[in-house]
Amino acid sequence: MEHYTMNLKLKVWRQKNAKSSGGFESYDVSNISSEMSFLEMFDVLNERLIREGKEPIAFDHDCREGICGMCSMYINGKAHGPWQGTTTCQLHMRAFKDGDTIVVEPWRANAFPVIKDLMVDRTAFDRIIQAGGYISVNTGNAVDANAIPIEKDKADSSFAAAACIGCGACVAACKNSSAMLFVSAKVSHLALLPQGAPERKTRVLDMIAQMDKEGFGSCTNTGACEAVCPKEISLTNIARLNGEYLTAGLTVDK
Amino acid sequence: MGLTGIFLILFLVVHVGLNACIFATIFNEDDHGQMFNKAAHFMGSNWVPRLLEIGLFVGIFLHIIQGLMLEFQNRGKRSVKYEVSFGNRGSKWYSRSMGLLGTILLIFFIIHWKQFWIPSRFTGVEETTIDGKQMHDLFSLMKETFAEPWVVIVYVLACISLAYHLLHGFQSAFRTIGVRNNRYLKLVNGLGVGFSIIVPLLFALMPVSMYFGWVN
């Protein structure tokens, strides 16, 4: 692909802290290479802001290779930007043209309060995982990998669900700010495997109870979550979660 | 929401089936709405449909309450809105507008109950005698009601709302109860699209055909 440079106008959400109200600020960035990643473009801008003695834009990032789930920008009205199945850090500037205006916002959901600028507090997801995203295993030596037979289709579906990186794009895109795609991926991942069987019923009930407690909305199956998920987690997981929840609710012993 | 939705979908089958009896006049010149009146008389006089009617009102009431709660609770989950919205890129407009479509349907139901259900159950409808039995002449009431163009327009608009409400609701209801098997999901989706087109279309044809005198 041909390399080119571009000048862009950025409209970025700036917010001092969780308590202040915040607003948009515009920045002109020039000589941006089409081979830069979106976050590298922000690095260039931040270095300039530091040189000018201004406060750099705070944003979440860690691995920058699409697996940690830290980056979380809402770019031009779409979580993680215009590319399908891509995290913000893997989005490259060749997705944009010279002269484009790019609007960058943080995830918007009451369950994900803004900490600063583009950073949001996603610890609600950690608490949902703590509520049931674990399995019971015997201590001692690790069991041989092939000791427990698992049907290939189930292993594949479980693996696909386990690809969820917990970035929260599903919540950001959902009109209801629902976390159902995330929870369904975590529940499906373990419910499909024999290792997940001991806590299968309590897991789904506890994780959903925690999800409601955190203030996420309810799922209405619109499908926006699936459309933005950088790991392309399927909506089928939500149907599985609903089935698991119904069965567990009717048959759990406690 | 899903369970009450499926219950109401089943009711629509009964409702559209019985009402479609008005089309008997097209195929049989001597019918004069008798088949429809007899069907309506059975529904009104037999205790089984009357008992089911109570269930229907419970179902519809629950569906409305659940729907309103869902809509308003979900609206409160994002206090600061986005500057640029995601729009139609990830979901269909009707999937996001179930609350609005449902509200249009509720307003329509109030008009519909006032025009047909309340007269038939409480305030009285002109009677006719078919096969020696006295019964409500609902067919004539329909003809009278659908002589007004605004009523026909309201009914057709309500049917369009119903079509879009079902287009999302049908498949969503099955997802809610956990249907995920690929083969059945395809069947449900196909059935849902067919149902969402055929049932509202049949309903819409009723006032339209009465207005234009296709049914007499």
Side-chain angles (χ1 to χ4, degrees), chain B residues 14 18 38-46 48-50 53 121:
Chain B
V14 177
L18 283 169
K38 277 195 272 185
H41 178 69
F42 167 76
M43 294 302 280
S45 57
N46 193 296
V48 178
R50 293 303 294 270
E53 191 179 40
R121 291 285 177 274

Side-chain angles (χ1 to χ4, degrees), chain B residues 12-159:
Chain B
L12 282 179
V13 178
V14 177
H15 193 2
V16 80
L18 283 169
N19 280 32
C21 290
I22 64 159
F23 298 123
T25 56
I26 299 172
F27 307 103
N28 178 8
E29 279 183 13
D30 301 327
D31 186 80
H32 305 298
Q34 287 185 6
M35 192 192 213
F36 169 70
N37 273 342
K38 277 195 272 185
H41 178 69
F42 167 76
M43 294 302 280
S45 57
N46 193 296
W47 66 272
V48 178
R50 293 303 294 270
L51 203 66
L52 286 174
E53 191 179 40
I54 299 168
L56 171 66
F57 273 94
V58 171
I60 203 158
F61 187 68
L62 278 175
H63 195 71
I64 293 165
I65 296 292
Q66 288 170 324
L68 288 173
M69 277 174 62
L70 196 63
E71 182 72 20
F72 287 108
Q73 281 176 0
N74 281 344
R75 277 191 192 185
K77 304 294 183 190
R78 178 171 291 137
S79 305
V80 184
K81 306 283 176 238
Y82 286 111
E83 175 84 355
V84 186
S85 76
F86 191 29
N88 290 330
R89 285 175 285 174
S91 55
K92 300 276 189 284
W93 70 268
Y94 51 83
S95 295
R96 299 193 306 276
S97 313
M98 290 298 275
L100 175 72
L101 292 168
T103 309
I104 294 172
L105 288 174
L106 177 59
I107 295 166
F108 163 74
F109 289 152
I110 293 166
I111 299 170
H112 183 55
W113 289 331
K114 193 177 166 292
Q115 284 172 334
F116 293 102
W117 188 75
I118 293 174
S120 159
R121 291 285 177 274
F122 303 106
T123 53
V125 176
E126 269 188 48
E127 305 247 319
T128 179
T129 310
I130 301 168
D131 302 339
K133 264 195 223 167
Q134 271 230 320
M135 57 184 72
H136 287 156
D137 191 3
L138 282 164
F139 186 78
S140 298
L141 180 65
M142 272 178 92
K143 263 172 48 182
E144 210 176 287
T145 312
F146 296 137
E148 290 278 347
W150 73 266
V151 178
V152 178
I153 292 167
V154 166
Y155 271 66
V156 170
L157 289 176
C159 289

Side-chain angles (χ1 to χ4, degrees), chain A residues 63-106:
Chain A
C63 76
R64 296 204 179 196
E65 54 185 19
I67 53 170
C68 75
M70 279 309 287
C71 51
S72 60
M73 293 178 187
Y74 198 83
I75 304 157
N76 281 347
K78 191 175 175 213
H80 292 300
W83 283 352
Q84 279 303 111
T86 310
T87 53
T88 299
C89 64
Q90 293 282 286
L91 174 68
H92 280 67
M93 293 313 294
R94 55 182 175 272
F96 302 94
K97 298 188 304 290
D98 185 35
D100 276 358
T101 298
I102 308 172
V103 183
V104 188
E105 303 172 72

